[in-house]
Amino acid sequence: MVKFLDLKKINLAHEAELKQILEQVLLNGWYIRGKFHDEFEQQFAGYCGTSHCVGVANGLDALILIFKGYKELGILKDGDEVIVQANTYIASILSISIAGLTPVFVEPDAESYNLNVKNVKDAITDKTKAILAVHLYGKLSPMKELMALADERNLILVEDCAQSHGAIDDRGIKAGNLSHAAAFSFYPGKNMGALGDAGAVTTSDEALATTIKTMGNYGSKKKYYNEVKGVNSRLDEIQAAVLLIKLKYIDQENAVRRKIAQRYLDEIKNPHLILPDHKQAKTDHVYHVFAIRCEQRQNLIDYAESNGIQTLIHYPVPFHKQDAYTEYAHLSLPLTELIHEQILSIPISPVMEKEEVDHVITVLNEYRSG
């Protein structure tokens, strides 16, 4: 079986270094915001090109704390509208709702699946105060254009970088430094995954970074003295240590993903499958997943599984069809719904063997619908 993602194999590639640094955590005897936590924040900020990185408990918390941080600073307020693409993972939307803001949904670009700048422009109202750009599947959103629009309309631009660790735009700027503030998830299955839940915020806004750090520590800068109503959302020392090791290899591992993606783009020639729109795997895409589309998706899933290939759907149900968001069930989002009905992710990872890639290509080329 070609696994969709072999997490054990990915982590065992760094076994010796991980064991060594985890032993250091144990022996240091400091397990919350210790040496490795501080070192990771410094190194990851430097990697992304921002002035600040704040480690938090997970990627959802990172987004929530960005929005709540802007509220604490008086830049956002309850009910303000945040524009977001309708086809994103529900965590992006939850962050807006939980922060007391109002999500406004736009259809994505039909080819990139990311934000469509025209659709964003058309959705702006007097209540619009922010844009949340999700780098879905690992491909950067059109951030240069979105930042120009945000500057023109005096809006906050936030990145959801949960799937885009290390992606670089044509100016050489990395994900996490293409907006006013960015949220990262280091969930184990991400390109740079921890050994549990973990997240971070990157920004060059010192006031925002300080506010988020305070809010994530019960609203406290000094122990037992609470300045704001905060939460407990801190990056564990163990996960910070793991991420310090993973950070050393992220660019190398992303390069392997791009090589596999290029083979898929070049060698999968099946008219029944819709591949990503680009012909060359560039650095603005880190292929967290390689998403294809198929009109008869379940038929393809069954076919792939019968031929020893594990696939995954990102994502099977759009947010407005979820029980959690029945208030939006009336929305007409035909492109979003089509994407959710047809999208399918095929195996891609830095530990895939050549023979596994060969097999995926052969099987998909032999697939016939019906």
Side-chain angles (χ1 to χ4, degrees):
M1 174 67 74
V2 180
K3 292 185 178 181
F4 175 76
L5 187 66
D6 193 336
L7 282 179
K8 182 177 179 180
K9 190 174 181 180
I10 286 172
N11 287 314
L12 286 179
H14 310 297
E15 181 179 8
E17 289 180 279
L18 288 174
K19 284 183 175 178
Q20 182 181 38
I21 202 165
L22 289 174
E23 183 179 15
Q24 290 181 54
V25 174
L26 177 64
L27 295 176
N28 285 347
W30 192 280
Y31 307 118
I32 300 291
R33 288 188 171 178
K35 167 188 172 182
F36 294 124
H37 167 276
D38 295 347
E39 189 175 343
F40 175 73
E41 285 189 337
Q42 181 179 9
Q43 287 196 21
F44 195 62
Y47 175 79
C48 293
T50 58
S51 301
H52 304 280
C53 168
V54 181
V56 298
N58 54 70
L60 176 57
D61 280 4
L63 282 169
I64 293 169
L65 285 167
I66 288 172
F67 290 126
K68 286 192 172 183
Y70 277 124
K71 286 177 69 177
E72 190 66 34
L73 292 169
I75 296 170
L76 296 176
K77 65 180 186 304
D78 282 347
D80 282 348
E81 292 180 353
V82 181
I83 295 172
V84 63
Q85 63 215 61
N87 62 313
T88 185
Y89 181 53
I90 201 167
S92 310
I93 300 163
L94 285 170
S95 70
I96 300 169
S97 302
I98 292 170
L101 306 171
T102 303
V104 173
F105 305 100
V106 296
E107 291 272 53
D109 180 81
E111 295 183 339
S112 72
Y113 309 126
N114 282 333
L115 276 179
N116 178 296
V117 178
K118 180 182 182 303
N119 290 350
V120 173
K121 286 181 181 178
D122 291 345
I124 293 175
T125 71
D126 291 341
K127 296 180 180 179
T128 305
K129 300 301 177 184
I131 302 167
L132 175 56
V134 184
H135 304 315
L136 202 60
Y137 309 142
K139 180 175 174 60
L140 292 180
S141 295
M143 299 305 293
K144 190 166 22 177
E145 295 85 353
L146 288 170
M147 181 56 85
L149 178 62
D151 288 342
E152 177 189 336
R153 302 295 183 93
N154 194 30
L155 304 175
I156 295 295
L157 179 59
V158 177
E159 291 171 84
D160 183 339
C161 297
Q163 302 183 5
S164 61
H165 314 72
I168 308 171
D169 77 358
D170 58 6
R171 299 166 295 176
I173 304 175
K174 283 196 177 82
N177 191 26
L178 295 163
S179 62
H180 296 107
F184 286 87
S185 166
F186 304 116
Y187 180 78
K190 303 300 185 184
N191 287 34
M192 194 172 86
L195 297 183
D197 275 322
V201 174
T202 56
T203 184
S204 290
D205 183 332
E206 184 173 0
L208 180 65
T210 300
T211 300
I212 290 172
K213 199 173 189 77
T214 301
M215 291 182 72
N217 190 39
Y218 298 97
S220 172
K221 291 179 184 176
K222 181 180 178 182
K223 194 169 185 178
Y224 301 130
Y225 292 84
N226 305 83
E227 301 177 15
V228 297
K229 295 174 182 176
V231 296
N232 176 14
S233 183
R234 300 174 297 205
L235 176 62
D236 287 346
E237 184 75 352
I238 289 174
Q239 304 304 343
V242 169
L243 291 168
L244 276 171
I245 301 301
K246 295 293 191 75
L247 182 57
K248 296 194 294 182
Y249 299 100
I250 184 61
D251 290 339
Q252 174 185 325
E253 293 181 352
N254 282 343
V256 174
R257 288 175 179 269
R258 278 192 289 270
K259 286 181 181 178
I260 296 170
Q262 192 64 60
R263 286 203 60 197
Y264 287 162
L265 292 168
D266 291 342
E267 299 177 43
I268 297 175
K269 306 290 185 182
N270 190 327
H272 300 290
L273 307 178
I274 301 173
L275 270 62
D277 67 305
H278 39 92
K279 301 301 179 186
Q280 185 176 356
K282 297 181 180 179
T283 59
D284 70 339
H285 203 324
V286 293
Y287 295 96
H288 173 60
V289 298
F290 192 95
I292 64 174
R293 281 168 51 199
C294 180
E295 289 185 6
Q296 297 185 22
R297 180 174 63 190
Q298 190 57 52
N299 180 264
L300 175 58
I301 291 170
D302 295 342
Y303 169 80
E305 185 175 357
S306 69
N307 283 276
I309 298 172
Q310 186 181 44
T311 59
L312 205 63
I313 303 173
H314 293 90
Y315 302 96
V317 184
F319 83 94
H320 64 300
K321 302 294 184 182
Q322 302 275 7
D323 291 343
Y325 281 103
T326 54
E327 65 268 36
Y328 296 106
H330 66 282
L331 291 179
S332 175
L333 297 163
L335 177 56
T336 290
E337 291 175 18
L338 180 68
I339 291 169
H340 283 270
E341 289 168 4
Q342 296 184 351
I343 207 78
L344 185 68
S345 300
I346 63 176
I348 189 166
S349 85
V351 294
M352 278 185 77
E353 304 289 344
K354 178 183 180 299
E355 293 74 20
E356 292 178 313
V357 179
D358 292 342
H359 183 61
V360 172
I361 292 169
T362 298
V363 169
L364 291 183
N365 275 331
E366 292 176 351
Y367 167 74
R368 297 295 178 265
S369 65

